[in-house]
């Protein structure tokens, strides 16, 4: 009986230790944003850079940039937890980090519901369990409101253009594809499993989207060469300048609302 109790106590201590990491390094800007949203910046000792940092993170050491992790700098910070998005660190470096015995929390949400669950996961590991649950509840409620407001009996077929030269879009297992569904739309490349496939103009013409959306008007101009394209016929070459959809954190709820607002008039 004593052995059972001892094993239970040790197990509880291990869980408590896992849930309250003190020296955390975030290896993705989106994960760094979640830490800020949880009010847990005090737990961070370093971040991987990729674009402009939130002001709250300006004082923290950098451990490199996307695809350029500075391993010596990271180890010198003596982290007891690494927040990892697989796309920001190579597979070889992830294996190397595991060999050092540093706990890794690997997070790659494929849907907005998965993202909501990650607020709870990260909150528990950073000693902000209650804050994580609150973010989860607010996020889920916000998604439900958007679904109800923008529901369509027939989803609007959309080509989401990530870049124009070469031409990139999103696949069905990408979180932005789920954001389109929240807005009553669907990616015309939802059947593709790659997160960001390169596609041809011919394949877009064949799938004939009713709307095309991109980050700026310049990237949309080339489509006017094909007046037979449904999106061109209907004048539905749409601009969504905000890039918040590319950073899966709580702010993505507002970014999704902006996406829905842009798509709402389209038919």
């Amino acid at each position: 009986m004593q052995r059972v109790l001892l094993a239970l106590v040790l197990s509880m201590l291990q869980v408590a230790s896992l849930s309250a990491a003190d020296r955390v390094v975030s290896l993705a800007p989106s994960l760094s944003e979640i830490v800020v949203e949880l009010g847990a910046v005090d737990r961070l000792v370093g971040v991987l850079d990729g674009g402009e940092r939130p002001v709250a993170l300006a004082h923290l050491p950098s451990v490199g940039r996307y695809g350029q992790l500075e391993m010596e700098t990271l180890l010198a910070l003596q982290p007891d937890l690494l927040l990892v998005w697989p796309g920001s660190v190579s597979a070889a470096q992830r294996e190397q980090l595991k060999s050092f015995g540093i706990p890794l929390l690997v997070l790659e949400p494929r849907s907005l519901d998965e993202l909501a669950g990650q607020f709870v996961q990260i909150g528990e590991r950073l000693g902000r369990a209650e804050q994580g649950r609150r973010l989860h509840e607010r996020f889920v409620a916000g998604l439900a409101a958007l679904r109800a407001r923008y529901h369509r009996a027939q989803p609007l077929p959309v080509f989401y253009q990530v870049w124009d030269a070469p031409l990139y879009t999103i696949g069905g297992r990408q979180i932005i594809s789920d954001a389109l569904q929240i807005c009553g739309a669907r990616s015309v490349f939802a059947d593709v499993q790659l997160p960001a496939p390169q596609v041809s103009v011919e394949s877009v013409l064949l799938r004939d989207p009713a709307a095309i959306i991109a980050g700026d008007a310049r990237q949309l101009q080339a489509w006017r060469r094909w007046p037979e394209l449904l999106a061109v016929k209907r004048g539905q070459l749409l601009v969504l300048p905000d890039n918040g959809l590319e950073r899966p954190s709580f702010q993505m709820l507002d970014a999704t609302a902006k996406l829905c607002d842009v798509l709402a008039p389209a038919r």
Side-chain angles (χ1 to χ4, degrees), residues 93-142:
Q93 285 191 319
R94 287 201 304 276
E95 289 303 314
Q96 190 176 4
L97 290 170
K98 288 179 185 177
S99 72
F100 296 137
I102 305 171
L104 272 63
L105 182 57
V106 181
L107 302 150
E108 188 176 18
R110 301 290 190 183
S111 70
L112 291 164
D113 286 330
E114 284 185 16
L115 174 59
Q118 290 183 0
F119 302 142
V120 176
Q121 280 183 276
I122 299 173
E124 289 176 346
R125 296 294 292 271
L126 272 61
R128 299 292 193 278
E130 181 59 29
Q131 292 91 328
R133 286 191 290 271
R134 287 178 193 160
L135 285 185
H136 175 272
E137 290 170 4
R138 287 169 51 203
F139 198 82
V140 169

Side-chain angles (χ1 to χ4, degrees), residues 169-187:
T169 187
I170 54 170
R173 298 189 68 213
Q174 220 272 10
I175 195 168
I176 298 175
S177 187
D178 190 49
L180 287 171
Q181 292 183 41
I182 296 286
C183 298
R186 65 171 177 83
S187 167

Side-chain angles (χ1 to χ4, degrees), residues 16 19 23 25 29 66 113 127 142 145 156 170-171 173 181 187 246 255:
S19 65
R23 299 186 61 79
V25 172
Y66 270 165
D113 286 330
L156 182 77
I170 54 170
R173 298 189 68 213
Q181 292 183 41
S187 167
E246 299 168 10

Side-chain angles (χ1 to χ4, degrees), residues 142-163:
L143 292 180
L146 291 176
R147 283 191 183 100
R149 180 176 179 183
Y150 294 102
H151 173 76
R152 296 176 190 245
Q154 293 295 326
L156 182 77
V158 172
F159 175 62
Y160 188 95
Q161 183 171 300
V162 175
W163 197 249

Side-chain angles (χ1 to χ4, degrees), residues 12-21 80-81 103 124-127:
M12 291 173 67
L13 288 173
Q14 287 174 348
V15 170
S17 176
L18 285 173
S19 65
D80 56 12
L81 178 65
E124 289 176 346
R125 296 294 292 271
L126 272 61

Side-chain angles (χ1 to χ4, degrees), residues 12-266:
M12 291 173 67
L13 288 173
Q14 287 174 348
V15 170
S17 176
L18 285 173
S19 65
D22 291 318
R23 299 186 61 79
V24 181
V25 172
S26 170
L27 298 182
S30 59
L31 296 176
S32 301
E33 283 192 6
I34 292 175
V35 176
V36 174
E37 292 159 351
L38 287 167
V41 174
D42 60 306
R43 303 281 179 168
L44 283 175
V45 295
V47 296
L48 189 74
D49 283 309
E52 188 175 352
R53 288 192 196 184
V55 175
L57 303 177
H59 66 288
L60 289 169
S62 172
V63 295
R65 301 185 67 83
Y66 270 165
Q68 298 176 334
L69 178 60
E70 297 169 6
M71 197 68 72
E72 289 185 9
T73 303
L74 184 148
L75 293 175
L77 295 173
Q78 299 182 322
D80 56 12
L81 178 65
L82 301 178
L83 302 178
V84 181
W85 177 64
S88 62
V89 180
S90 70
Q93 285 191 319
R94 287 201 304 276
E95 289 303 314
Q96 190 176 4
L97 290 170
K98 288 179 185 177
S99 72
F100 296 137
I102 305 171
L104 272 63
L105 182 57
V106 181
L107 302 150
E108 188 176 18
R110 301 290 190 183
S111 70
L112 291 164
D113 286 330
E114 284 185 16
L115 174 59
Q118 290 183 0
F119 302 142
V120 176
Q121 280 183 276
I122 299 173
E124 289 176 346
R125 296 294 292 271
L126 272 61
R128 299 292 193 278
E130 181 59 29
Q131 292 91 328
R133 286 191 290 271
R134 287 178 193 160
L135 285 185
H136 175 272
E137 290 170 4
R138 287 169 51 203
F139 198 82
V140 169
L143 292 180
L146 291 176
R147 283 191 183 100
R149 180 176 179 183
Y150 294 102
H151 173 76
R152 296 176 190 245
Q154 293 295 326
L156 182 77
V158 172
F159 175 62
Y160 188 95
Q161 183 171 300
V162 175
W163 197 249
D164 60 338
L167 193 59
Y168 279 94
T169 187
I170 54 170
R173 298 189 68 213
Q174 220 272 10
I175 195 168
I176 298 175
S177 187
D178 190 49
L180 287 171
Q181 292 183 41
I182 296 286
C183 298
R186 65 171 177 83
S187 167
V188 293
F189 287 94
D191 59 317
V192 178
Q193 295 302 302
L194 291 173
Q198 184 177 344
V199 297
S200 65
V201 170
E202 291 75 18
S203 65
V204 177
L205 295 174
L206 185 63
R207 297 184 185 222
D208 199 20
I212 298 176
I213 192 163
D216 64 67
R218 180 194 60 78
Q219 291 189 27
L220 293 167
Q221 292 307 309
W223 294 112
R224 299 188 187 280
R225 300 175 193 166
W226 292 277
E228 70 277 14
L229 192 62
L230 189 57
V232 177
K233 283 181 187 176
R234 294 182 178 177
Q236 293 177 167
L237 301 177
L238 309 174
V239 177
L240 183 69
D242 181 71
N243 64 355
L245 291 171
E246 299 168 10
R247 302 192 320 277
S249 57
F250 188 87
Q251 62 78 40
M252 196 172 176
L253 181 62
D254 183 57
T256 300
K258 291 177 182 177
L259 172 68
C260 292
D261 189 53
V262 167
L263 288 171

